[in-house]
Amino acid sequence: MYEPIRPKSVVHRMGGSPTEHDYPQRSRGEALDIQLAGHLAALLAVTDELGLGGEEGAAAIAAQVARLRGAQPARVPSPQPDAAPVGNSAGAAALHQRAHDLAARALLVAASRADTTVAILAAERMDAHAAALASLDSRDLAGAH
């Protein structure tokens, strides 16, 4: 005499609840590796944009990205030999600030996954970009007089 108000849910009709194997799962370490590789790849792109792609730091960053991803990172083509790196413009300061911030993020992730090599590299890059920012600020102040 009574009929059900609603049909059974789709989950029950399909034979049970979803299991953990129905969805791709990553370990915490794998997720941190992906995140760290992303921060380092972004730092490498900013380094290349600053025209510092040939420096030792950029090569070390590229090597770490390759280690984490298992493949070489995509790089911006090298500028022409006569092209100068970004000068002391506001754009250069913004790029150095962005690179400093990306290196800080990479340092945090590297510390959480206990990757000493990348943590040291990220700290060195933070120092280098902080020094470049200070240099740009001092040149701007000297030119204002």
Side-chain angles (χ1 to χ4, degrees):
M1 175 167 178
Y2 294 104
E3 294 182 31
I5 297 172
R6 287 179 270 180
K8 288 187 177 182
S9 71
V10 174
V11 173
H12 294 300
R13 286 189 296 193
M14 291 181 61
S17 63
T19 65
E20 63 183 55
H21 301 293
D22 291 341
Y23 303 104
Q25 299 290 317
R26 288 193 176 100
S27 69
R28 182 174 185 273
E30 290 171 330
L32 289 173
D33 283 351
I34 292 167
Q35 187 177 13
L36 184 57
H39 290 316
L40 290 175
L43 177 59
L44 182 60
V46 173
T47 301
D48 286 343
E49 190 172 346
L50 279 165
L52 306 174
E55 77 171 40
E56 183 179 311
I61 296 168
Q64 292 304 315
V65 173
R67 178 180 65 87
L68 291 165
R69 287 190 176 162
Q72 289 296 321
R75 301 283 305 266
V76 175
S78 300
Q80 299 300 324
D82 58 344
V86 176
N88 68 354
S89 65
L95 286 173
H96 280 294
Q97 184 61 54
R98 176 143 174 75
H100 184 274
D101 295 345
L102 287 165
R105 289 177 186 166
L107 177 60
L108 288 173
V109 177
S112 70
R113 67 181 296 277
D115 190 333
T116 308
T117 304
V118 175
I120 291 170
L121 174 63
E124 289 172 350
R125 300 316 307 151
M126 286 177 66
D127 290 344
H129 290 291
L133 279 169
S135 173
L136 288 174
D137 287 344
S138 68
R139 280 193 253 160
D140 288 344
L141 291 175
H145 292 289

